[in-house]
Amino acid sequence: MSSQSEKDLSCPVCHDIYSDPVILSCSHSFCRFCLQTWWSKNLEHNCPLCKKINLSNDPPRNLALKNLCEAFLLQRDKKPSAGSEPLCSLHHEKLRLFCLDHQQLVCVVCRDSKAHKYHRFNPTEEAAQDHREELQKHLKPLQDKLKVFEQVKGNFDQTAEHIKVQAQQTEKQIKEEFKKLQQFLQNEEKARLAALRQEEKQKLRKMEEKIESLSRGIKTLSEIIRATEEQLRAEDVSFLHNYKLSVIRVKQRPLLDAPQLVSGALMDVAKHLGNLTYNIWNNMKEMVSYTPVILDPNTAHPQLILSDDLTSVSLGGRQKVPDNPERFDYDKVVLGSEGFDSGTHIWDVEVGEEGFWAFGVVNESFERKVQALSGFWQLSFQDEKYIVATTPDTYKYLSVKKLQRVRVQLECDRGKLSLFDLDANTLIHTFKHNFTEKLFPYVETKKKPLKILPVILKVDEHITPLSTGF
């Protein structure tokens, strides 16, 4: 297209190729932005060229002119052939300068033209370096965000895999329990497996949606970064030709916060395995085992190993588990799966005389990722001494010896937590406090396994502890 054509396609106000051209009633055309700027500085909406009054405040778009401009720009911006250097489309001179006011490449003849009168210019080398530095500043936040997204995606991938493992292990344990039952329990088994599959499907779908969304974000950011990095490595002239588009592509991409793993993402294993035989017994009316406190593996410190029935805990090597919000990461603690804020609740713990152990109750808001200084009521064994405590600095040594089984009796409404020696049939200690939060049973151990003991159930549905006397 000839240089004269570019003049014909230039706005009389900005002297650049028309952008979103509109046409006035006098047949003159202008960039919409240029016209609005002109009108904002004049009381009357007249034509900048012929000064005729325009009756319309929203002049129509000049589609024919718009199409011509787009075709011209497409032809003008085509990448030059290998070994050739692009020339000024108006004067066929080498593009040695960069107009800082119009942000475009120009030749020495353009510099002296009316279109660039009083404008500032830099050599292309200097302009390219300045703009590369500016573009690099815009690129850096995207690069940093990509690293964060990749780290979060790694955690999400691990969580998804852990969900699958949890589902597989839970399925195995459910099947083992059902194998002990008669044929007429098949319907019960199918119902429980269906519930497990449904939860697995729902939670995997949610996690896969998050992973897919995150993958799309990573792909988009990667494409932007790759394209921008390629542009940064381009020749100066080619780089400046595409600089505006590169800046728009980088700036217009919003820097969204990296998504975080929310509570409840993992399988609710305790719901499926907790008191499994007791719930079956409700239908079968047979003697079954019932444990009043079920440990929640989603809260367990990575070094704690839970038994298959979620009633016993021991210390082992650090396991590769997701760092979900519910999990303890400072103290080697695991919580019960159910919290209490009313009524009376009793459970028995089997302990030993080795290493360190502690158990009791904690507030629902108890710190899990750092050391907690309050919000717990516990009995512990340390340095061959039994200690009751409510804070690290508030404790009392007990005179009892050789505890083997301890009963915990929580009376929420009366604000009492009592500890009994089941074998000696004596009260060890009573905490009195106005509990304001939901309380969760907890167990902590650094060596000796601890176990929540089952209670004896009778067909008449009355629950009787293994040992009586209280």
Side-chain angles (χ1 to χ4, degrees):
M1 193 171 288
S2 67
S3 59
Q4 182 61 37
S5 297
E6 182 165 351
K7 292 182 179 180
D8 294 337
L9 298 178
S10 298
C11 173
V13 176
C14 66
H15 304 290
D16 204 349
I17 301 300
Y18 283 106
S19 174
D20 191 15
V22 295
I23 186 169
L24 302 181
S25 56
C26 58
S27 298
H28 290 129
S29 293
F30 305 91
C31 298
R32 184 181 296 276
F33 177 77
C34 294
L35 184 63
Q36 291 174 347
T37 302
W38 174 272
W39 283 355
S40 66
K41 298 178 181 179
N42 295 273
L43 295 178
E44 295 181 338
H45 287 183
N46 57 0
C47 173
L49 284 180
C50 65
K51 309 303 180 183
K52 289 185 178 180
I53 301 298
N54 186 70
L55 299 179
S56 174
N57 292 330
D58 186 19
R61 178 180 294 176
N62 191 336
L63 292 177
L65 181 57
K66 179 177 180 295
N67 292 335
L68 287 173
C69 292
E70 290 178 351
F72 174 79
L73 290 173
L74 182 63
Q75 181 67 27
R76 188 186 70 177
D77 294 339
K78 280 186 177 179
K79 187 176 181 180
S81 58
S84 66
E85 184 176 349
L87 302 177
C88 175
S89 58
L90 290 175
H91 309 107
H92 301 286
E93 297 286 341
K94 291 184 178 181
L95 298 169
R96 300 293 192 185
L97 300 172
F98 186 76
C99 176
L100 299 178
D101 295 274
H102 278 171
Q103 290 289 300
Q104 66 181 37
L105 289 161
V106 296
C107 68
V108 292
V109 180
C110 292
R111 179 190 60 188
D112 300 327
S113 66
K114 292 182 179 180
H116 295 279
K117 190 176 183 181
Y118 304 123
H119 286 183
R120 298 166 299 149
F121 302 90
N122 269 355
T124 55
E125 295 82 0
E126 294 182 12
Q129 180 61 30
D130 292 342
H131 285 70
R132 278 193 173 92
E133 293 175 358
E134 182 67 20
L135 187 57
Q136 184 63 47
K137 291 179 182 178
H138 298 312
L139 180 63
K140 185 64 167 60
L142 294 183
Q143 293 171 327
D144 294 340
K145 185 60 66 175
L146 177 61
K147 293 180 181 178
V148 174
F149 273 32
E150 288 174 339
Q151 292 174 354
V152 173
K153 182 178 180 296
N155 190 25
F156 281 11
D157 289 337
Q158 181 186 3
T159 301
E161 288 301 317
H162 193 70
I163 290 173
K164 294 177 182 178
V165 171
Q166 285 185 309
Q168 293 168 359
Q169 293 176 344
T170 304
E171 178 183 358
K172 178 182 178 181
Q173 292 170 231
I174 290 176
K175 287 183 176 181
E176 288 176 353
E177 290 292 336
F178 274 96
K179 286 178 182 179
K180 301 174 184 178
L181 304 176
Q182 301 297 325
Q183 186 63 36
F184 63 85
L185 287 177
Q186 287 185 350
N187 291 337
E188 181 78 5
E189 181 182 13
K190 290 179 181 179
R192 292 185 178 275
L193 290 177
L196 174 67
R197 291 303 187 192
Q198 182 179 7
E199 182 181 2
E200 178 192 15
K201 181 179 179 181
Q202 291 175 347
K203 292 193 172 179
L204 275 178
R205 183 173 66 250
K206 290 180 180 179
M207 190 55 59
E208 287 167 355
E209 288 174 354
K210 290 179 179 293
I211 293 173
E212 182 180 358
S213 176
L214 189 57
S215 297
R216 289 197 299 269
I218 290 175
K219 181 180 179 182
T220 301
L221 285 176
S222 299
E223 291 175 353
I224 293 176
I225 291 172
R226 183 174 61 254
T228 306
E229 289 174 341
E230 290 178 359
Q231 179 62 15
L232 288 169
R233 294 191 295 268
E235 296 293 332
D236 293 346
V237 173
S238 178
F239 166 77
L240 293 172
H241 259 302
N242 298 297
Y243 172 73
K244 290 183 179 179
L245 180 60
S246 298
V247 172
I248 293 174
R249 181 168 53 224
V250 171
K251 284 186 174 182
Q252 287 185 348
R253 182 64 186 175
L255 295 179
L256 301 177
D257 292 333
Q260 302 296 321
L261 192 64
V262 299
S263 296
L266 299 178
M267 293 287 296
D268 192 351
V269 178
K271 180 183 70 175
H272 296 286
L273 296 181
N275 298 323
L276 180 60
T277 56
Y278 173 75
N279 292 327
I280 297 172
W281 168 82
N282 278 328
N283 296 330
M284 298 189 62
K285 305 300 182 184
E286 291 185 358
M287 295 295 291
V288 295
S289 173
Y290 171 75
T291 306
V293 170
I294 296 299
L295 303 178
D296 185 356
N298 294 344
T299 68
H301 185 278
Q303 286 185 253
L304 294 183
I305 300 174
L306 274 60
S307 60
D308 289 342
D309 61 359
L310 307 179
T311 63
S312 178
V313 59
S314 59
L315 188 68
R318 191 175 185 89
Q319 304 170 83
K320 190 175 182 180
V321 292
D323 185 21
N324 50 298
E326 303 95 330
R327 191 176 306 282
F328 280 85
D329 195 43
Y330 185 86
D331 296 310
K332 294 176 176 60
V333 167
V334 59
L335 296 187
S337 62
E338 182 182 0
F340 310 120
D341 55 10
S342 63
T344 298
H345 307 274
I346 300 173
W347 61 96
D348 301 335
V349 184
E350 184 178 70
V351 299
E353 293 186 302
E354 296 181 24
F356 168 87
W357 53 254
F359 61 87
V361 296
V362 298
N363 282 330
E364 186 174 21
S365 62
F366 190 77
E367 293 287 350
R368 307 189 184 196
K369 306 300 183 183
V370 297
Q371 182 181 17
L373 301 179
S374 62
F376 62 92
W377 295 262
Q378 73 173 19
L379 168 66
S380 65
F381 180 75
Q382 186 174 6
D383 298 329
E384 299 184 353
K385 295 180 181 179
Y386 297 98
I387 307 169
V388 288
T390 55
T391 71
D393 299 323
T394 306
Y395 55 88
K396 175 184 177 181
Y397 290 99
L398 301 178
S399 59
V400 296
K401 297 180 180 180
K402 294 184 179 180
L403 289 177
Q404 293 182 335
R405 295 181 302 159
V406 178
R407 171 162 296 174
V408 184
Q409 181 170 307
L410 174 62
E411 299 173 85
C412 297
D413 302 327
R414 298 178 61 186
K416 291 177 61 178
L417 178 69
S418 301
L419 303 171
F420 300 91
D421 181 348
L422 282 179
D423 298 292
N425 198 23
T426 57
L427 174 66
I428 300 174
H429 183 77
T430 297
F431 296 98
K432 293 184 179 180
H433 184 79
N434 182 24
F435 301 116
T436 58
E437 293 187 38
K438 180 177 288 188
L439 300 173
F440 282 82
Y442 89 95
V443 174
E444 179 178 7
T445 182
K446 292 184 180 178
K447 186 174 182 180
K448 177 72 176 180
L450 296 184
K451 180 177 178 60
I452 309 296
L453 296 174
V455 297
I456 296 176
L457 298 179
K458 295 182 179 180
V459 178
D460 60 4
E461 299 188 4
H462 290 296
I463 300 176
T464 304
L466 287 177
S467 299
T468 60
F470 299 104

